[in-house]
Amino acid sequence: MTLDITLSPLYRINGQEIASLPGLFAPTPPQNAARGREKDRLIVYLLLTGNSVFSTSEYMQVAKDAANIFYQTSGSLTSALRIAADLVNKTLLDRNMTTSKNGQFAVGWLTLAALRETQCTLALSGPMHAYWFGQNEMRHIHEPVTSGKGLGTNQTTNIHYSQTTLRAGDRLFFLGRTPDAWSSILNDPSPDSLDSMRRRLITLTRDDLNAVLMQATDGAGVLNLLSGAVEIKDDKKEESAAPLPATASLPHAQQAVPAPQVESATAPTAHVVQPSAYTTAPQREEMPQANPLSGLPRNTAPRDFPASIPRIQPAPAEPVIPVIMERENTPPVIAMEEIPQFPKITAPVKEPEPQTPREPSARTRQTAKALATGIQSTRRISEFISEKLKNFLPRLLPNTESNETIAPSNTAMIFTAILIPLMVVTILSVVYLRYGRSQQYETYLAQAQEMQAQALTLNNPIEQRQAWENVLLSVEIAESHRKTPETAAIRQQANTNLDKLLGITRMQFNPAFSSNLNIDISRMAASETDLFLLNAANGEALRAQPTNNGRGFQLDTTFNCKPGVYGNYTVGNLVDILTLPVLNSINATLLGIDAAGNLLYCAPGQVALAIPLPPPDTNWGRVTAFTLENGNLYVLDASARAVWVYNGKDGTFIDRPYFFFGGQTPEKQDVIDLVISGDDLYMLHADGHLSTCSYSRIESKPTRCQDPSPLSNPFAAYQNENLFASANFTQMLFTALPNQSILLLDADTQGVLRFAPRSLELQNQFRPTTGSTNPISSGPADAIAVGPNHILYLAINGQIYFATDMP
C-alpha cells in the first residue's frame, strides 16, 4: 500500500500566523538518487536555537543540504540518516567556531523522517518531541539522553532512532517544546480530524508556535505541503480561504484535496531564532547583502528538484535581513557549558545605541604608531623615486636639452599608484599575521594547556571525558590559526585518554589492493592465506591471495565460483560464503549458498561442484545466511522465521534437517545474520538488536529464546549515553579460538565492537587510527571478516583494508 502524506506547519510569531516554516523541507526522490534511496521519502524539520544571525534562505539551505546528502548516500537507511545529521552538525559547528569569539552561537534541533512504503524511520537530534497517533492509541517519542542537547556544539552527532508502521489515518506531530495547554490533545489516543486538531492546537494557546503536523492517507504516494494560518484577534477567530500550492507526486503527480485554508501573514524573508526554539517577529534593518554561510565548506551542491514539488516561491530579489537571536548574559562556550533550552521569550532586541569606544591599549597605540611611521616612510620613498625618474627619464630622449622642463612621466605616476597600496597592504598583513593570529593561537593554546592540566587531576571517568573533549575543542580552534608540535602533542594525549575511557583500541589498517575494485562487497570470508569476497551485484565469489612482497593482495583471475549450471543443477546468485576446514571429502576451500538452498563447493584450479541441500518439510522461503559449527550447517530462512540444522559428514550434508527452535517459532522475520557456539544461537536483527536461543536436547525441556537480549556496557565514561542505540549493526561473526568472542560491525562508524559470549558485555571497540595515518576513505563499512591468524578485514567503498595482530 502506498500512502499520501500531508504536511501542515504550525508557525506563529508574536501572535502572527506565517504560512512558510523555515527549516521544513520535503523533496521528492531525485532521478539520480543513490542505490537504496530511490523509494525513500525524506522530511527534514530543523529548529535553530541560540543568539546567532541567520537569514531565511540560509536557514533553508541547511535543510536542503541535509536532504541532498541523504539522497546521495547509498547503503542502509540509518547510515544515510546519520550522514545527513552529521552534515548539519558540521555546518553549525563550523559556523559556531567562527562566531563564538563574538559571543554568538546556534544549536540545531533536527527531525528526519524517512518513509518507505508504510515504514517510517525517525532520527531525532536534540530534545525534539514526536507524537504518533494510531487507531485508538498514541505514543510519545522523546529520548533527550540519546538525542543529546542539539547539533553544532561538538563533533559528536547524537541521534535517537525510532521506527513505526504508518496506516491510513495515522498522524505524526513534530515539535521542539510542548505548551502546557496542549496536554489534553496530545494525550488523546483518538484525536479529531486533521483540520480540527490543527485548529484546536492553534486556539488553545497564544504562545509562539513552531511545529509540523503530518497525516497519512490512502493514495498513490502524493506529498501535500499545506500553507495557511489562523490569526487570533482577541477572543474571535477570523477565517478565510487561501489557495494551496502545487503538489508533488511520489511517484505520480496528483492534485491534493484542498484543506480549509485561512488568512495567512506574509512570510518574512528572515527568521528569528531564540534559545526557546521558537521565533519572534523579525525586524527589518538596512544592511548590505551578505551571506554569513558563504565561507563555510559544503559537502553537497544544491540540487535542482522538479518544479512539481509543492514549495513556497521566494519573493523576487529577496534582501538578506539579519535574524537577531536573543542573547544570554554570558553565551555558552560550545561543547563546554550546557546550552539553555527554554529561557523566557522576549521581544526582539532593538538596534543597540552606539557605545563610546574604549581607550586603546598601549600595544595598540604602538602598533598604530608603527603603521603611521611606515606609511610616511613609504610616501617619502615614493616621492624621492618619482623626482629621480622625472629628472632621469628626459635624458633618455633624443634632442632634449638639459634645461627643458619635462612633465612627470606617466610611467612614474603608475608605478607610484601601484607601489603605495601594495606596501600598505603588505605591512598590514605582516602585522596581523605577526600579532593578530599569533595572539589568538597563544590564547587558545593556553586554554587547552590549562584544561589539560585540569583533566589530569580528575578521577571521575565522566568528568575526565568531558574535560578531554573540551581540550580537543580548544586545540582545534588553536590549530585553525597555526599547527605546531605543541598542539599535535596535546591532541594525541587527549585522543589517547578518550580512547582509554571509551574502551577503543586503534588499529593501523592498510589497503589490500593497489587500486579500487569498484564492486559492492556484501560478504567476506578469510582463511590462513586466502581472502574471499562476495560480489553483491552478480552473486560471484572472488579469491584474493597475498602478493609476493606480502604487503597486499591480488585477485586470482582463474578462480571460478559463480552462478550457473553445474551438471544437473542450476545455482543462482550466492547470498553467503564461508571457508571450509582443510580436511573435507570434496577438497574445497570455499562454500557458497544461493537463496534456494543450493550449495556450491569451490577450490582454486578446480571446477565448482553444486549439491542442493535436502529441502525442509515446509520447503524453502528464501535463504539469507548460513554458518558452520562443529561440522554442522545452520541455514537461516528469515522469511519463514526458521533456522534449519544439517548434520555434516566430511563437509557434505545429505540428511534432512531439523528445526532449531522446536515448538517455539520466532515472531519476527527481520533476522539478517547469525552465529552459533555449541547449543547457543545468536541472531542479529535488522534494527540492530540481538536475540539468543539455547537449544535443548531434552524433549521435556523446550528450546528457550530471549528477544531482545540486552547488551552491557561496563565503561562508566558513557554515563547515560546508549552506545548501542546509536550504532548501526549490520554483520556479526565469531573470532577464532581459543579466546572466542562475538564481533558486531557498526557500519556507520567503521567500528567493530567485541562482546563476551553469553553475558554480551562489551569488551572493547576496534577502530581505525585517526589523522594522516588512516588510509580508509569515508563512508559506511560494507562487510567484515577475521582470519584464523588474527587479521581483521573491512570492505569500504569497493576497497579492502586489513589490520594485522588483532588483540
Side-chain angles (χ1 to χ4, degrees):
M1 179 176 61
T2 304
L3 299 175
D4 287 353
I5 299 298
T6 300
L7 297 176
S8 179
L10 284 70
Y11 187 28
R12 178 194 294 159
I13 301 176
N14 284 349
Q16 185 182 43
E17 307 293 333
I18 299 176
S20 177
L21 175 60
L24 176 61
F25 187 57
T28 189
Q31 294 182 353
N32 60 344
R35 180 172 57 88
R37 301 285 79 80
E38 306 90 347
K39 298 182 180 180
D40 292 335
R41 291 184 285 179
L42 180 69
I43 299 170
V44 181
Y45 173 43
L46 175 64
L47 270 171
L48 293 181
T49 72
N51 62 353
S52 189
V53 178
F54 273 83
S55 71
T56 301
S57 59
E58 292 169 345
Y59 198 155
M60 198 63 177
Q61 188 61 50
V62 181
K64 289 182 178 179
D65 285 346
N68 288 343
I69 195 66
F70 173 85
Y71 283 114
Q72 293 174 9
T73 303
S74 60
S76 65
L77 177 60
T78 54
S79 174
L81 291 172
R82 172 169 289 278
I83 290 177
D86 283 340
L87 178 62
V88 176
N89 185 59
K90 183 180 186 304
T91 300
L92 296 179
L93 181 60
D94 290 344
R95 183 186 178 97
N96 286 336
M97 292 180 66
T98 303
T99 60
S100 60
K101 60 184 177 183
N102 300 325
Q104 296 180 350
F105 67 96
V107 181
W109 299 2
L110 180 66
T111 296
L112 298 174
L115 291 88
R116 179 180 297 176
E117 298 295 336
T118 60
Q119 291 295 319
C120 179
T121 301
L122 299 178
L124 307 180
S125 293
M128 293 290 282
H129 296 260
Y131 290 83
W132 170 77
F133 300 90
Q135 299 296 328
N136 299 321
E137 59 179 328
M138 61 82 62
R139 181 158 64 101
H140 181 199
I141 304 171
H142 179 60
E143 296 291 342
V145 174
T146 305
S147 58
K149 295 182 176 62
L151 302 177
T153 61
N154 55 55
Q155 291 183 330
T156 302
T157 304
N158 294 313
I159 301 177
H160 172 68
Y161 294 102
S162 182
Q163 192 174 67
T164 184
T165 300
L166 288 181
R167 298 177 178 85
D170 288 1
R171 276 177 221 155
L172 283 169
F173 190 38
F174 310 126
L175 69 162
R177 181 176 67 86
T178 306
D180 295 337
W182 283 0
S183 59
S184 60
I185 302 178
L186 299 181
N187 292 324
D188 184 2
S190 301
D192 298 329
S193 65
L194 177 67
D195 183 57
S196 299
M197 182 176 182
R198 173 188 169 84
R199 294 176 187 277
R200 288 186 63 194
L201 290 171
I202 291 177
T203 55
L204 279 178
T205 179
R206 295 180 180 272
D207 294 346
D208 287 350
L209 302 179
N210 192 314
V212 178
L213 188 60
M214 180 184 116
Q215 176 162 302
T217 55
D218 289 332
V222 177
L223 177 63
N224 305 314
L225 180 59
L226 304 183
S227 64
V230 174
E231 184 176 352
I232 300 174
K233 296 182 180 179
D234 297 331
D235 296 328
K236 184 178 181 181
K237 180 171 65 176
E238 298 180 1
E239 302 177 3
S240 62
L244 285 175
T247 61
S249 167
L250 302 177
H252 305 292
Q254 295 182 355
Q255 288 295 324
V257 178
Q261 301 297 314
V262 293
E263 181 178 353
S264 62
T266 302
T269 56
H271 185 66
V272 181
V273 185
Q274 296 189 356
S276 64
Y278 291 110
T279 61
T280 62
Q283 292 183 335
R284 294 182 177 270
E285 300 181 7
E286 296 297 331
M287 293 188 64
Q289 290 195 3
N291 185 356
L293 293 181
S294 60
L296 292 179
R298 291 286 181 188
N299 288 347
T300 62
R303 186 190 299 253
D304 293 330
F305 293 98
S308 60
I309 301 178
R311 196 74 71 245
I312 300 300
Q313 298 297 328
E318 172 193 347
V320 176
I321 300 178
V323 177
I324 304 175
M325 296 193 277
E326 186 179 22
R327 291 188 57 174
E328 298 279 326
N329 292 333
T330 305
V333 179
I334 302 306
M336 291 187 223
E337 300 289 339
E338 291 189 358
I339 294 174
Q341 297 180 6
F342 305 118
K344 181 179 179 181
I345 302 176
T346 63
V349 294
K350 297 182 178 179
E351 183 176 358
E353 296 293 335
Q355 299 180 356
T356 304
R358 62 182 179 86
E359 186 70 19
S361 63
R363 182 171 187 174
T364 304
R365 291 196 296 269
Q366 293 175 0
T367 303
K369 183 176 180 181
L371 285 174
T373 303
I375 293 173
Q376 293 176 358
S377 300
T378 303
R379 188 173 299 167
R380 287 195 296 268
I381 294 173
S382 176
E383 292 175 353
F384 175 76
I385 294 176
S386 177
E387 183 66 25
K388 292 298 182 182
L389 288 174
K390 182 177 67 175
N391 295 331
F392 173 71
L393 290 177
R395 299 177 183 177
L396 300 178
L397 301 175
N399 300 325
T400 302
E401 300 295 335
S402 59
N403 58 352
E404 292 182 359
T405 303
I406 305 298
S409 170
N410 290 336
T411 304
M413 297 176 63
I414 295 174
F415 178 78
T416 303
I418 295 176
L419 179 63
I420 291 177
L422 184 61
M423 295 188 67
V424 170
V425 171
T426 302
I427 293 173
L428 291 174
S429 300
V430 170
V431 171
Y432 173 72
L433 293 174
R434 175 65 181 87
Y435 297 102
R437 290 179 63 88
S438 177
Q439 181 62 34
Q440 294 183 29
Y441 163 79
E442 295 292 342
T443 299
Y444 286 108
L445 176 62
Q447 184 176 343
Q449 291 172 336
E450 181 180 353
M451 294 179 178
Q452 176 190 28
Q454 180 183 4
L456 293 172
T457 63
L458 299 175
N459 295 320
N460 186 299
I462 300 173
E463 295 177 351
Q464 287 177 322
R465 177 185 178 182
Q466 295 173 347
W468 287 116
E469 287 177 345
N470 290 336
V471 169
L472 280 179
L473 181 59
S474 297
V475 168
E476 288 173 359
I477 300 177
E479 289 185 337
S480 67
H481 301 287
R482 188 197 306 172
K483 291 184 178 181
T484 64
E486 290 178 290
T487 59
I490 297 176
R491 175 185 291 275
Q492 182 178 4
Q493 184 185 25
N495 283 326
T496 300
N497 283 278
L498 280 174
D499 287 346
K500 183 178 179 181
L501 289 169
L502 302 178
I504 297 175
T505 302
R506 299 289 175 180
M507 300 190 69
Q508 179 60 56
F509 284 85
N510 297 291
F513 299 96
S514 58
S515 60
N516 195 294
L517 298 178
N518 293 321
I519 61 174
D520 290 332
I521 300 169
S522 59
R523 295 279 184 174
M524 292 192 298
S527 65
E528 287 281 358
T529 57
D530 295 339
L531 174 65
F532 299 96
L533 318 172
L534 181 58
N535 188 334
N538 59 16
E540 178 183 3
L542 308 175
R543 174 179 178 253
Q545 56 191 98
T547 57
N548 294 332
N549 57 18
R551 297 181 179 177
F553 288 79
Q554 58 186 3
L555 289 178
D556 179 4
T557 57
T558 64
F559 186 73
N560 181 22
C561 191
K562 58 184 178 182
V565 178
Y566 298 90
N568 297 326
Y569 306 110
T570 299
V571 178
N573 289 359
L574 301 181
V575 296
D576 201 358
I577 56 175
L578 55 83
T579 56
L580 289 171
V582 177
L583 299 178
N584 61 82
S585 59
I586 303 180
N587 294 325
T589 58
L590 183 71
L591 180 62
I593 191 171
D594 67 4
N598 295 306
L599 298 180
L600 189 62
Y601 294 83
C602 306
Q606 297 182 17
V607 178
L609 176 64
I611 302 178
L613 285 171
D617 295 336
T618 58
N619 215 331
W620 294 112
R622 176 179 173 82
V623 175
T624 53
F626 71 152
T627 187
L628 191 65
E629 170 69 10
N630 292 330
N632 297 329
L633 194 66
Y634 295 78
V635 182
L636 171 63
D637 187 346
S639 61
R641 298 178 296 174
V643 173
W644 300 100
V645 186
Y646 291 84
N647 292 321
K649 296 179 181 179
D650 296 331
T652 62
F653 311 94
I654 58 176
D655 296 333
R656 296 187 67 82
Y658 63 87
F659 189 57
F660 181 89
F661 303 108
Q664 180 179 2
T665 302
E667 297 180 357
K668 300 179 180 179
Q669 299 176 323
D670 62 345
V671 178
I672 58 176
D673 209 351
L674 78 165
V675 293
I676 189 79
S677 176
D679 291 332
D680 295 328
L681 174 66
Y682 302 84
M683 293 176 288
L684 175 63
H685 295 255
D687 61 359
H689 83 270
L690 265 67
S691 61
T692 58
C693 294
S694 296
Y695 180 74
S696 175
R697 300 181 183 275
I698 304 174
E699 293 185 1
S700 60
K701 183 179 180 181
T703 297
R704 299 291 184 182
C705 294
Q706 183 179 6
D707 186 11
S709 293
L711 303 176
S712 172
N713 184 359
F715 296 95
Y718 286 97
Q719 196 179 11
N720 296 325
E721 177 184 349
N722 190 341
L723 171 65
F724 312 124
S726 61
N728 178 24
F729 296 133
T730 57
Q731 288 189 11
M732 176 173 57
L733 71 160
F734 264 121
T735 58
L737 295 172
N739 297 321
Q740 199 171 46
S741 56
I742 299 175
L743 298 183
L744 288 177
L745 172 63
D746 183 2
D748 292 350
T749 64
Q750 301 177 352
V752 179
L753 281 67
R754 178 161 64 179
F755 295 85
R758 292 185 176 271
S759 67
L760 295 180
E761 181 180 80
L762 178 66
Q763 295 176 328
N764 67 316
Q765 305 178 54
F766 298 106
R767 295 183 184 270
T769 56
T770 57
S772 58
T773 60
N774 180 23
I776 300 181
S777 60
S778 60
D782 300 317
I784 181 179
V786 176
N789 49 359
H790 300 283
I791 297 180
L792 177 63
Y793 301 91
L794 290 179
I796 301 173
N797 294 331
Q799 175 64 282
I800 310 299
Y801 301 91
F802 68 98
T804 59
D805 300 328
M806 176 182 173

